[in-house]
Amino acid sequence: MGSLAQSWRPLSVGVIGGGIGGMSAAIALRRAGHTVTIYERADFAGEVGASVSCAANGTRWLHEWEVDVAKGDPVVLKKLINRDWKTGEPVSVYDLDDYEEKWGFVYNMFHRQYMHSMLKDAAIGESGVGVPAKLVVNHQCQDIDVPSSTITFKNGNTATHDLIIGADGIGSAVRGILGIKPAKRPAEQQCLHANVSTEEAVKAGLVDYSQNSALEYWGGQEGKWDKIVLSPCNGGKLLSYYCFFPREKGDYSGHTWGAEDRPVEELLEPYPELDRQVFAHLSIGQEIKPWRLWVHDPYPYLARNNICLLGDAGHPMMPHQSQGACMAIEDAAALGIIFSQSYFDGDVTAALKVYEEVRLPRVTRVQSAAAKAAYNINERIGFSTNTNISTYKVEDEKKKLTIEEMNAYDLYRDIEQKLAVHRGHEYCGKFLNGLPLGMKLPNGVTVGES
């Protein structure tokens, strides 16, 4: 596209929300030469969390931004394993041995607190390209005057910025200010999360799942809501369990993550026939927390004037594609590129239109696929490639999400295509919406062919 250095200008950016998405946005825009302030409603003192999946399409940006990934103490995944609900025997295995060679980056599994700390260091630390972002805590957004881009906080303070990013999560205040009223409903399944110490499991004579370096699943093949998901993190020292079951067995839609731990008996009660090995792991589970699951219909837009939404604020999704964090990281990366000296011409509103056109189709696609994978694990990226297993069945072969679609995606090319249209230029790249023209996907679709 060529450099736009003459019309480029550094911006004052306000990021509302200091979670994974907000910190990623701060890093991307800091690297692009802008001055960033992050406003967090809390003080992080009580932050808790579970594991976070970061596939190659997210990991690539951590490296591009020169984030010290080792600080996050990740587990590099080697397999995806789906096990029989009762016996624990593998039903479907997707091997990740050639994953880095094929996609250029590894599949990381982080603990949320460690990942957040890693990103925060990159956003506000002295090292690295750009002016360190400023973190302001105990500033909860109350309102935004859209024409003047002025934020009013509940503590009475105000701040004005050239660009405002709403990264304030599934309960986003910024979303409502932009006029989006979510059509949401409690999911048909609920979830309890538990942490298990690998050391404690081994001491108790239980199987050491950390040795597999795998994202492991029990169930999900029968079109039922019951499913156990195991994510190793902290270098394998911690096993993070997500335990799904039908909502009628326990409705946690009114609970909060930071509430008092639930009793272990409550965690075990829905699973009388579960594989005894993983059942024994859950029986020593700690920090048992309800995870409220809500289904949001896709939102009609992501930006208005000089304000945009990012991550869960703009596209909350069910967790069953393990892409929530990656989509937030991609959002941040898109902003960093669009507002870089190579692409930004000084018009914030026009730039955010491009952001919306780039991000909304992709995140909506993943939202839809995540909802399908909630009750059919064969729809999940990776397992959706294993068409030769006896239990394989998907709703529509040509509409299933594939690992190729996620990891072959080129965000730069997608942005260049959309910018060309906006600026009346001819786009000559050999890509369509970020995917290489002529690429044959495992779902039978060839990119560029109707």
Side-chain angles (χ1 to χ4, degrees), residues 7-42:
S7 55
W8 183 86
R9 60 188 175 99
L11 302 176
S12 167
V13 181
V15 179
I16 299 173
I20 286 172
M23 289 297 170
S24 297
I27 298 166
L29 288 159
R30 169 189 175 174
R31 296 288 187 255
H34 305 288
T35 303
V36 184
T37 304
I38 308 159
Y39 299 99
E40 169 56 36
R41 61 182 294 171

Side-chain angles (χ1 to χ4, degrees), residues 189-193 242-245 252 289-291 293:
Q189 63 181 179
Q190 294 289 283
C191 180
L192 284 172
H193 176 268
Y242 297 87
C243 304
F244 298 94
F245 45 82
Y252 294 101
K289 303 285 188 185
W291 187 15
L293 297 175

